[in-house]
Amino acid sequence: MRFLKTDERGDPAALKKADGDITGWMARRRWARVGIVYSVMILFAIILVGPMLFAALSSLKVNPLEYPPSLRIPELNPRNWVTAAQLGRAGAGDAFQGGFAPGAEIPFDLTYFYPEGTDPAPPDVEVPRRRPGSGLGAARTIDYAADYAEVSALEVVERERGEHEVDGTREDGVFVTYSFAVRYVGDGPLVGRVPLAATAERGHHYVDSTLPASRLERRGMVASFDNIAPGLGRYVVRNYSRVFDEARSVTTGRSLFVAWTRNSFLVAFARVLTNVVFASMAGYAVARYRFRGRFLIFFGLLFAQMVPAQVTFISNYLLVRDGLFGLSHLFGRDTFLNSLWGVIIAGAGSGAAMIHAGMVFVMKQFFETLPRDIEEAAEIDGAGTVQRYIRVVLPMARPALGAVIILTFQGTWNEFFWPLVVLTSPEEVKTLPVGLLAFRQVYGVAGDWGLILAGAILSALPVIVLFVVFQKYFMQGIAFGGSKE
Amino acid sequence: MDPRKVIALLLGVLLAGAAGAFAGGEAEQAEPDPDDPVTVRVMGYGGQDPRIKADLLENVIGDHLEAQGIRVDYEPIEDDYNTMLYNQLSAGTAADVVYIPVETAPGIIATGMIEPLDGLTDLSPYLASLNESFTFDGQTYGIAKDFNTLGMFYNKDLFDEAGVDYPDENTTWDELEEKMRAIDDLGDDVYGAAFPAQFERMGAFAFANGFELDIETGEADLLDTALVDTVEWYTGLVREGVAVQPADMGQGWGGGAFGTGDVGIAFEGAWLLGYLGDEAPHLEFGTTYIPRSPHTGESGNFLYTVAYGINNQTDHLEASVAVLEALTSPEAQQHVLEGGLAIPSREELLELDYFERDDREAVANRTIFEGAEHGNVYGFQFGEVGTDWLSPVDAALSEIMTGEASVEEALQRAQRELDELLGR
Amino acid sequence: MDLYGTKYNEEPGGRPGLTFNSLKRSTQEQISAYLFLAPFLITLAVFFLYSTGRAFYFSFTDYNLFADPNWVGLENYLSLFRQSLFLRALQNTLLFSVIVTTVQTFLALVMATVLNQRIRGLAFFRAAYYIPSIASSVVITLIFMWMYQRRGLINYLWTEARRHAPIILLFIALVIVLQVAQVIWERRRGYPARWVDPALFLISFTVGAIGTLGAWVAGVVSVRPLPPVDFTWLATRVRLPGWAPSFLRVPVPLVAIMIQNIFTTIPTMMIMYLAALQGIPPSFYEAADIEGASVPQKFFRITIPSVRPVTFLVVALSLIGTLQMFDQVAIFGDAVPLESVITLSYYVYDRMFPGAQLPQVGLASAAAMFLAILTMLAVLVQRVFIKSEAE
């Protein structure tokens, strides 16, 4: 309400005008508020999703720690895609995977800047004998491009005077572009990648090349290329292909990331199965029956979720270590340590478990909302307890079972502590979260964040897809009591 | 979406995935063929070791062992190795042959799970001083597979660019400091040296300066002037920005910082050679001894060693001894030396021609080998508390470097915590 | 109300079930109930009750995995409080729990209040916000570790903020001045304008932005040529803030984990709050508007009391989660000094599997018992506290 001045009081026309005025004024305010709310929502979205998105984009870079961080990613530049595909075809006749095959001739250009007063000598170009990364895959014997490659003499194809920024100041000088080719000599195997190193004298500056250099070493003297014949795929998702290619078991040579993914799926599936079957049974009993000790079970449900996993893991670790009362002999082993069975069967407390107290709770809450009439009708028809449960109750419980499936899958997929305790060695018994920790330890030392980020993003994909498709169940899960693990 | 469809779809996907996965799992767990050779599991470090071991097995000792019907599985532990060893020994899942690091040897052997080697194999060809660390009550439980000391690695490009001479055997701390300052002046992101806040590196300087440590009990006087002076010099250079903590360059260790090419000097063992070969293949570096203290005129060093021991729960004792002998055979040790991992423990190999070569790897290995007898050298052992000894001292170094505490305060607190740890 | 918003002791179903053969029927019920519950009860007994009992027993022994356990009475509990690492873990855990719970509960409620609008597209945004919470702690921690690197995203944003500080400050000052001027003018014209009036704010924002841009182009303010911020987030033992007494200082790496934890937990809590807020009748706010209540008044007098049950749930979950924080410490691992981030949960794990010495199962168990009791006490205390506030 607009406040009327004293002399306007009692004047109906003024009152009416003021009313119309204030309605327009309020409407304006409402619209402005909606605009601001949307802006704030977008801002929140940027803050909350931004880091993951930025990490996903940076995982494409050769060096995700490039400073200043930039979203101008050469790997996303279509011009480089074409070049990478062409180089891949030149290297191995494969525009997507690239490589180095007999008969290959890979053309390559390098541009250097020579400041006034320096002698424009061409850089020293070689194909070094370098293994891809260190750590988890380093045990394999591989073929080196260096053993089959020959670098042709450098030819000057362009010479141009100009200015270039050197250490923050612009200097006059000359740009020289050299062209050469790397040839495959004789016959031999298909080699995965062709590294290249161009060493210049101090004072000469690398400017550009057919594909940008992976990194500059020795204070800019060496322009180093991880692969000059990458093909489109190996170029754009370089770190992602490294996740699969480089981290391999030292004993079997199989990809660790594939093994970890398989293990994670196995454990998650087993847990989903046990929870769907047993938690619904338990939830049903608590919701429908009156029995002695019901109150105690409520307490069990509550405490099982409150007592830290660190309390129960001490004894559970020893149980699993000693094979769970001889149960492990059924599986032909003395211990459940370093076995997925150990992860699946044991585990309790606030961590995920074979039958999770939180899931029992979700089911109990749901069954309490179901009317009893149908069950009673079935009982009158002469259906037994078990029959009634399977034929009548479970089909009605689909929405709750959906929530249990989704939440258990997500919880188990993300579970860290218990697998960390049970799965230690060798690397291929681990699940994804524990395996990613190994990535962190091995590649983090060398500052190789590209591979770590790529692995992290890949491992998050299944739950993100699940979330996008079955969002409703996640929200339900939170509503049922927030059993986020 | 219809909830029935959702459930059906979900279960279908999960079932299909799991069916495939379980099928794969079962195939792998199948019983080994009785005609197959005995498999001896060896458990050791991750990092560079798996590569060297695979290479060793493939090119040097694999055929020899295969002829005896033995297959070797190397299990690298990327996690904290000592934890894993205790863990697996208590669980009965430890490998047949295990690494025993010198710093935890007393505790590991005290568990009673390691087989004494006397009478099982000939212990005489190995350096006696190395065997000693693994001998308790007259029984030897491990054969040193190799050893390592610290050397001073310097980046030739940076020394050239700064126009200072390379350091040598006689360089003192004062001379080194001048060189470091010259290199530091090259740019904002360039540092004279990598000085981690760790006794594992600073200790070598302290020993050079006359600091004494009882490695049998872990007892030490942290307020001894020999140590206080060293800490003041070491941390002072970091506070001034002449030297850098590797962490402040985003690196986990001195070798990593050195590998970036922006650090003039790092103090590491022969393990750095393998790392540089992989991560900084173009770096031009040289190696010399730890510099001499201007007060004592001496150099100092740590002696690191790791032994092979046999788990007494093994089902294949004979095969395990054969594997242990093969792994420490002259051929194997020579191969490991040339792979740039460590120095052989067999006395006879110290006469090798390899040490006379003048390529940078051979020079580094010779320097690190001779470091064992160069000045005041201490074994990397701290009594029964093992590497827990290091925590209070490292915390003190870190606090001094960041200006949280003065040298005096920090060392006094470290001494208190150390006494508490040692139960005094 | 308890943790799950229901009463445990209420009758199930709701219908009185007395029939002529009630005795037989109830026996039947007992048997069926226990058959249905059997698998759950067996796992609960073995992996929860037995293991908790065994940990309780171990906490009074000197068990080390190798030799048989010997009874030592309360020795483990006493020696915990002599260990500087345990005391550090206790301090870190309490600081972490209290600070994170307070900040994230408050922020979640504020964010939910802002978003509590009946507008299109809310579901989409809600889903987007939830994405950081569904990825595993390992994924999120690795991404944050990457951002916390010396030349990582966080130090970069900090650097840019410092470089642009004059411009940002000028912009804020302009917006405030414009807003105040407009509100005073509107009030003079007789409209009931508030200090945070949205329509006027849009004008202030736009004019402020244009003004700042103009000042920048004219060279009145400029970007400062500062060197990059090289703050060490991880490998440091620095504790902040420097002026606080020692027991209140938080190690920098722990601050890093706090930020990360708040970031990943807020969306879940915000969604829980949002559900509660949408249940508040709009008439409450309308009545307050008529009485001329300000935005903060409405927030404190209407919003907070209405969502009290959710606050209890949110705070309880947050306390349980933060007191038991483990994953981040394990993943940071050797990239940070242990004593800077160690928590009680990690202390238990660390004593169970110490690297340098024999395992100390007794000490680990005692610390685990301590942690369990602490968790339950915290939940109990906050329950009593929030309840008494409500009465």
Side-chain angles (χ1 to χ4, degrees), chain B residues 118-139:
Chain B
D118 306 72
L120 286 176
T121 183
D122 182 12
L123 297 165
S124 61
Y126 308 96
L127 284 170
S129 61
L130 295 176
N131 280 350
E132 226 167 73
S133 301
F134 303 97
T135 302
F136 294 84
D137 297 328
Q139 300 267 46

Side-chain angles (χ1 to χ4, degrees), chain B residues 14-194:
Chain B
L14 287 169
L15 266 171
F22 268 111
E26 270 164 25
E28 261 187 7
Q29 280 175 10
E31 282 293 306
D33 188 7
D35 292 345
D36 261 9
V38 172
T39 298
V40 172
R41 293 162 59 218
V42 179
M43 187 167 105
Y45 295 158
Q48 311 284 337
D49 278 32
R51 198 186 93 204
I52 304 277
K53 281 288 176 321
D55 187 25
L56 203 58
L57 286 169
E58 189 158 322
N59 302 321
V60 189
I61 58 172
D63 294 342
H64 170 68
L65 287 171
E66 214 165 287
Q68 302 177 52
I70 300 171
R71 220 178 74 93
V72 177
D73 261 2
Y74 184 70
E75 293 174 12
I77 305 297
E78 296 296 350
D79 221 333
D80 179 3
Y81 177 79
N82 290 322
T83 303
M84 211 58 75
L85 182 56
Y86 273 119
N87 211 333
Q88 300 214 353
L89 279 176
S90 78
T93 55
D96 306 293
V97 176
V98 297
Y99 280 23
I100 306 179
V102 63
E103 67 271 20
T104 40
I108 296 284
I109 290 161
T111 64
M113 308 294 278
I114 303 294
E115 188 76 22
L117 297 174
D118 306 72
L120 286 176
T121 183
D122 182 12
L123 297 165
S124 61
Y126 308 96
L127 284 170
S129 61
L130 295 176
N131 280 350
E132 226 167 73
S133 301
F134 303 97
T135 302
F136 294 84
D137 297 328
Q139 300 267 46
T140 304
Y141 293 84
I143 292 181
K145 69 183 187 75
D146 49 43
F147 75 95
N148 237 312
T149 66
L150 297 177
M152 174 157 69
F153 288 78
Y154 53 90
N155 181 328
K156 290 185 172 174
D157 285 332
L158 291 179
F159 274 76
D160 291 346
E161 213 174 318
V164 287
D165 292 338
Y166 300 149
D168 63 25
E169 166 171 21
N170 294 316
T171 305
T172 64
W173 299 2
D174 297 339
E175 290 159 10
L176 189 73
E177 188 179 327
E178 272 174 42
K179 296 178 198 292
M180 283 164 58
R181 287 182 190 281
I183 292 168
D184 184 47
D185 289 340
L186 287 177
D188 281 346
D189 288 335
V190 181
Y191 300 95

Side-chain angles (χ1 to χ4, degrees), chain C residues 173-191:
Chain C
L174 270 182
V175 170
I176 292 174
V177 167
L178 284 166
Q179 181 80 2
V180 168
Q182 288 192 83
V183 170
I184 291 174
W185 188 63
E186 290 279 306
R187 284 189 180 175
R188 281 246 177 116
R189 286 177 59 210
Y191 290 108

Side-chain angles (χ1 to χ4, degrees), chain A residues 65 126 128-131 133-136 138-141 196-197 199 202 215 217-219 221-222 224 250-252 254 262 265-266 268-270 272-273 276 317 321-322 331-333 335 337-339 341 344 397-399 401-402 405-406 409 420-421 424-427 430 437-438 441-442 444-448 466 469-470 472-473, chain B residues 1-7 9-11 14-15 17-26 28-29 31 43 47-48 50-52 54-55 58-59 71-80 84 87-88 90-93 155-158 160-161 186-187 189-190 250-253 256 260-262 275 277-284:
Chain A
L65 279 178
E126 57 154 355
R129 232 182 118 81
R130 192 185 313 156
R131 63 175 46 252
S134 57
L136 291 172
R140 293 178 307 141
T141 25
L196 188 87
T199 311
R202 184 163 294 123
R215 71 192 69 79
E217 291 172 23
R218 291 184 64 194
R219 302 183 46 73
M221 283 167 65
V222 179
S224 179
V250 282
T251 46
T252 63
R254 294 207 198 134
R262 193 197 72 149
F265 266 114
L266 262 175
F269 171 71
V272 165
L273 202 67
V276 163
Y317 168 76
R321 186 192 74 176
D322 301 334
F331 298 84
R333 32 167 69 241
T335 170
L337 282 189
N338 296 322
S339 149
W341 293 111
I344 294 166
R398 281 198 185 109
L401 288 177
I405 291 175
I406 301 281
F409 183 87
L420 176 76
V421 169
T424 50
S425 186
E427 292 291 341
K430 294 178 174 176
L437 179 61
Q441 284 161 339
V442 174
V445 169
D448 193 350
L466 209 65
V469 180
F470 301 112
K472 188 176 81 184
Y473 292 103
Chain B
M1 208 186 275
D2 178 6
R4 267 177 301 178
K5 279 187 194 158
V6 171
I7 307 261
L9 182 68
L10 264 178
L11 280 178
L14 287 169
L15 266 171
F22 268 111
E26 270 164 25
E28 261 187 7
Q29 280 175 10
E31 282 293 306
M43 187 167 105
Q48 311 284 337
R51 198 186 93 204
I52 304 277
D55 187 25
E58 189 158 322
N59 302 321
R71 220 178 74 93
V72 177
D73 261 2
Y74 184 70
E75 293 174 12
I77 305 297
E78 296 296 350
D79 221 333
D80 179 3
M84 211 58 75
N87 211 333
Q88 300 214 353
S90 78
T93 55
N155 181 328
K156 290 185 172 174
D157 285 332
L158 291 179
D160 291 346
E161 213 174 318
L186 287 177
D189 288 335
V190 181
Q251 294 292 331
W253 60 305
T260 64
D262 290 334
Y275 177 82
D278 281 341
E279 299 295 332
H282 305 293
L283 192 78
E284 287 293 331

Side-chain angles (χ1 to χ4, degrees), chain C residues 141 254 257 325-334 336 338 341-343 346:
Chain C
T141 309
L254 194 65
I257 299 182
M325 193 265 283
F326 173 88
D327 298 6
Q328 287 89 330
V329 182
I331 297 159
F332 275 26
D334 54 7
V336 298
L338 181 62
V341 289
I342 191 167
T343 56
Y346 196 85

